[in-house]
Amino acid sequence: MQIEMDDELFLQLTEYCNRSDNLVDNRRRAMALGFEGKDVLVAPGSIIRIPKEQVGENVFFGLYSYVNGNVTVGSNVLIGPHCSIAAGNHKYDPATGWFSARTEPDGDDSIVIGDGCWLASKVTVTGGVKLGRANLVCAGAVVTKSTPDYAIMAGIPARQIGRIDPESGEYVWFHKKEKEKDE
């Protein structure tokens, strides 16, 4: 079905979609997706394709973020703009010669975002990853492996570059020699 809008409605809708990143509209978007009563906020452009039961309380989905598949988001989580969190897997199908067919996963491809995590801008989390409690995932990181609690992750693929002291909240940065000893 094609929807045609007059110029005035089109301008109003375009302005709303581009200027409605505010508490009231973010809460209204969350309610429209079934997250009422959980203090969830959904910024413009976010696509969230997971059951409401798999989202904790006090969660923020940033501008244009994408969450799809068997994903569980803990409570007190910040998901920054343009993040991609997609569980699942496409496998190469020799019969067709491409990756189009969705097939059963070889293992657990679910994603868990632990309580208290902050995923900065443009973070990607791949299938099978379990982020520990209170992780800080730095901007642009691609997380391909599960992480411990209180980890600071960065890079492509992401690696642990520090930790958060759970008592003080202080960031403790790994130095190269210290990290090499740990490995």
Side-chain angles (χ1 to χ4, degrees):
M1 175 172 95
Q2 183 174 345
I3 299 173
E4 294 197 25
M5 294 181 245
D6 62 36
D7 289 344
E8 183 179 338
L9 180 58
F10 178 79
L11 291 173
Q12 288 175 347
L13 182 59
T14 300
E15 182 175 4
Y16 175 76
C17 289
N18 287 284
R19 296 185 186 208
S20 68
D21 188 13
N22 59 64
L23 183 64
V24 171
D25 289 335
N26 290 349
R27 187 166 284 130
R28 289 175 66 198
R29 267 185 289 280
M31 288 176 65
L33 293 172
F35 298 121
E36 65 274 342
K38 291 183 134 191
D39 201 21
V40 172
L41 301 174
V42 178
S46 292
I47 297 173
I48 304 162
R49 294 172 150 174
I50 60 175
K52 62 185 175 188
E53 299 79 32
Q54 290 177 217
V55 176
E57 296 181 1
N58 192 31
V59 174
F60 177 77
F61 293 96
L63 291 162
Y64 302 101
S65 288
Y66 178 72
V67 183
N68 186 39
N70 189 5
V71 177
T72 300
V73 178
S75 293
N76 304 311
V77 170
L78 296 173
I79 298 174
H82 300 278
C83 288
S84 177
I85 305 166
N89 199 3
H90 294 277
K91 289 186 180 177
Y92 178 76
D93 182 356
T96 63
W98 59 326
F99 289 87
S100 66
R102 289 184 181 257
T103 58
E104 290 299 313
D106 290 336
D108 181 8
D109 67 346
S110 66
I111 295 173
V112 175
I113 309 298
D115 290 345
C117 286
W118 171 27
L119 282 60
S121 181
K122 297 183 181 178
V123 166
T124 298
V125 180
T126 62
V129 169
K130 313 300 185 249
L131 292 182
R133 177 179 189 76
N135 276 206
L136 163 55
V137 183
C138 297
V142 177
V143 186
T144 60
K145 294 184 179 175
S146 296
T147 64
D149 292 348
Y150 304 101
I152 301 173
M153 306 296 295
I156 302 172
R159 62 181 178 80
Q160 188 173 0
I161 62 168
R163 64 178 177 78
I164 301 169
D165 183 312
E167 298 299 317
S168 68
E170 180 183 352
Y171 295 173
V172 179
W173 303 102
F174 295 156
H175 299 317
K176 188 173 183 176
K177 288 183 180 180
E178 182 179 323
K179 183 61 182 164
E180 288 171 356
K181 277 193 294 187
D182 292 340
E183 293 178 345

